[in-house]
Amino acid sequence: MDHHYAVDVAWQGNRGTGTSGYREYGRDVLVRASGKPDLAGSADVPFRGAADRWNPEELLLAALAQCHLLSYLHSAVQHGVVVVGYTDDAVGTMEQVGQGGRFTSVTLRPRVTITDAAMTDVALAIHAEASENCFIAASVSFPVLHEPVVAVADDVS
């Protein structure tokens, strides 16, 4: 089954002279999808972008982390692991070569909180399954590594 997605991306950086020079235009963009809040984007600061807007590199990292999280929650249900908390401090490395470049790796560092200490090993093991099931991770050509930690909730009522 195919799934289709659509976004509109509009450049907002024309300062009056368009791309008449490298320093003459802004990198601000607006990303829109039907029925969702607009997303303010830009280039990363080293590429003359705005620090207060999302850059494509952060969005790729966010997509990988979010996809893993959602795949993990699905796997948790299938394996009987009750997850009550999940955070991730994901990091990525990109190398620049000439005017281009590429990501060389991403490391996801999920911190999962579960309700049953007896399920800790399963909770750790299903990160591999979640990674295999993540559409975004399957679509990139660099390694997506994982450094998961599992904790048990102190008081689950």
Side-chain angles (χ1 to χ4, degrees):
M1 177 184 337
D2 290 343
H3 301 271
H4 302 276
Y5 304 90
V7 297
D8 296 317
V9 178
W11 176 49
Q12 297 179 317
N14 184 353
R15 296 179 179 151
T17 61
T19 57
S20 61
Y22 184 73
R23 298 176 188 275
E24 304 307 315
Y25 65 95
R27 276 58 173 180
D28 291 355
V29 300
L30 189 63
V31 181
R32 294 182 178 145
S34 180
K36 297 183 174 97
D38 292 349
L39 181 65
S42 186
D44 193 9
V45 172
F47 307 109
R48 304 194 56 78
D52 63 341
R53 289 177 169 243
W54 289 90
N55 65 58
E57 295 81 11
E58 291 167 329
L59 292 171
L60 177 61
L61 190 58
L64 285 163
Q66 182 179 353
C67 185
H68 185 82
L69 180 157
L70 295 170
S71 296
Y72 183 85
L73 296 178
H74 178 78
S75 293
V77 169
Q78 290 185 318
H79 290 276
V81 176
V82 178
V83 175
V84 293
Y86 186 116
T87 62
D88 191 343
D89 297 315
V91 295
T93 301
M94 185 182 77
E95 68 176 358
Q96 185 174 351
V97 179
Q99 293 185 29
R102 66 182 191 91
F103 270 81
T104 57
S105 70
V106 162
T107 301
L108 304 179
R109 298 182 295 197
R111 306 300 185 252
V112 179
T113 305
I114 62 173
T115 60
D116 182 359
M119 297 300 284
T120 299
D121 289 342
V122 175
L124 283 168
I126 62 176
H127 280 286
E129 180 179 300
S131 182
E132 290 175 15
N133 293 334
C134 172
F135 301 125
I136 307 301
S139 300
V140 299
S141 63
F142 52 84
V144 179
L145 310 170
H146 305 91
E147 296 175 355
V149 172
V150 173
V152 178
D154 292 331
D155 180 27
V156 178
S157 304

